[in-house]
Amino acid sequence: MAVYGGNSMDTVIMVLVGTWFFIAGAAMGSFFNVLIVRLPKGQNIVATRSMCPSCKTQLKWYDLIPIFSFLFLKGKCRYCRHKLSYQYLLSEIAVGGLFLLAFLVQGRIFSYCLTIFYLSLWSMLFVVGMMDYREGIIIDQVMLPFVLVAAVDRLACGTHIKELLFGAAAGFGLYFLVYLLARLFYKKEGFGMGDVVLLTAIGFFLSPAKTILVGILAFYCCLLLLLLLWIFKSRVERRTEIPFAPSICLSAFIVSLAGDAILAYLCNFLHIPIL
């Protein structure tokens, strides 16, 4: 753990470190885009080099500089001038922002444990949420590396293995129960098993109480996304289906930042002991 003081030199150091976090996050955002686009199609993410989706020309290293290359080329392929999706730019900025937030949220007391926790959790949420939003699919194996990193980090920093297992069990139990009830009463899936696995994975990051909070808050996040969809697309019918993983991921992001405050408020409102 590093503690920064209040003098100007420490401020300069924080700015430099924060800038490094943003640049590293933008680079990871570029890689996450590869995962989001290629994995649902069964494409190789290691051996196959990046190429233009239109002319199939293999891209040079200077075509892949996060954020800068997209802006410099005005969002077009250098070789065929095909217009590229803004997803590339927005993902790099978004993940860069998440990495920067992971640094800033800790204030002047920097914890390596918290940093790894935030980076692994938020990275997983971004990849899974975007993949389900784009392709309507959750690939369970994508979550495994992030969960392993988080589990090792939490255990190394003093969390008992029982809390990890109880958190995962809480996530699995809550959504598997909803899954079974939906099959029982509606004779079809309320949501896929991928959502059950996702909340189980989130349970390895959060306490059982926070994991259950994520599962419940996700339904409200889904209502919010439906409202936004209705406002901006004006075509939301009674049977409109939207991917549920983005709602779970948004809920988990909120709880990772404000879970203690939300639980404290709920316990006070319901007059029950603090969880």
Side-chain angles (χ1 to χ4, degrees):
M1 178 182 294
V3 181
Y4 297 104
N7 57 50
S8 58
M9 181 56 69
D10 289 333
T11 301
V12 171
I13 293 175
M14 288 194 69
V15 170
L16 293 175
V17 175
T19 301
W20 182 89
F21 267 89
F22 181 82
I23 293 173
M28 290 304 298
S30 181
F31 173 67
F32 292 162
N33 258 322
V34 174
L35 300 180
I36 293 166
V37 172
R38 293 188 186 180
L39 286 181
K41 300 176 182 178
Q43 297 176 346
N44 193 300
I45 63 172
V46 178
T48 305
R49 293 181 58 184
S50 297
M51 63 179 65
C52 171
S54 178
C55 65
K56 307 303 180 183
T57 302
Q58 288 190 346
L59 304 179
K60 309 296 184 182
W61 66 268
Y62 45 79
D63 298 320
L64 300 171
I65 301 174
I67 301 176
F68 176 80
S69 291
F70 190 96
L71 295 177
F72 181 77
L73 297 172
K74 298 180 180 179
K76 297 179 181 179
C77 172
R78 181 190 299 274
Y79 308 99
C80 69
R81 308 309 297 168
H82 172 75
K83 191 173 182 180
L84 302 174
S85 171
Y86 272 90
Q87 176 187 326
Y88 298 101
L89 175 64
L90 296 178
S91 294
E92 291 165 0
I93 294 175
V95 179
L98 288 176
F99 273 52
L100 176 59
L101 181 61
F103 171 69
L104 295 178
V105 75
Q106 301 175 65
R108 292 186 174 272
I109 300 178
F110 183 78
S111 166
Y112 295 104
C113 292
L114 276 178
T115 301
I116 295 174
F117 167 81
Y118 284 129
L119 294 184
S120 55
L121 174 59
W122 293 349
S123 294
M124 183 185 78
L125 298 178
F126 179 83
V127 173
V128 174
M130 283 296 296
M131 189 178 294
D132 194 37
Y133 175 77
R134 274 178 51 94
E135 307 294 339
I137 186 174
I138 299 176
I139 300 177
D140 299 344
Q141 294 86 339
V142 171
M143 294 177 267
L144 184 58
F146 300 108
V147 170
L148 290 177
V149 170
V152 171
D153 173 61
R154 295 189 68 195
L155 291 174
C157 295
T159 302
H160 198 282
I161 191 172
K162 287 184 179 180
E163 183 171 347
L164 273 66
L165 297 177
F166 287 162
F172 177 82
L174 176 62
Y175 269 11
F176 189 65
L177 176 62
V178 175
Y179 175 85
L180 291 178
L181 291 175
R183 291 295 297 267
L184 177 64
F185 289 101
Y186 297 104
K187 308 303 180 183
K188 64 177 183 178
E189 292 183 348
F191 46 67
M193 279 299 297
D195 299 312
V196 179
V197 174
L198 174 56
L199 191 62
T200 304
I202 291 172
F204 281 99
F205 291 85
L206 305 174
S207 68
K210 289 182 180 179
T211 302
I212 293 174
L213 178 62
V214 169
I216 297 173
L217 184 60
F219 292 102
Y220 293 93
C221 290
C222 186
L223 289 176
L224 175 61
L225 293 178
L226 277 172
L227 177 62
L228 293 175
L229 187 65
W230 177 77
I231 292 174
F232 291 103
K233 291 191 175 182
S234 301
R235 290 189 63 184
V236 179
E237 300 175 359
R238 182 178 179 182
R239 295 185 178 274
T240 296
E241 294 184 4
I242 63 172
F244 194 56
S247 301
I248 301 174
C249 293
L250 176 59
S251 174
F253 175 72
I254 294 172
V255 171
S256 69
L257 288 173
D260 291 330
I262 296 174
L263 286 175
Y265 173 81
L266 290 176
C267 289
N268 181 64
F269 179 79
L270 298 174
H271 302 289
I272 59 178
I274 299 294
L275 296 174

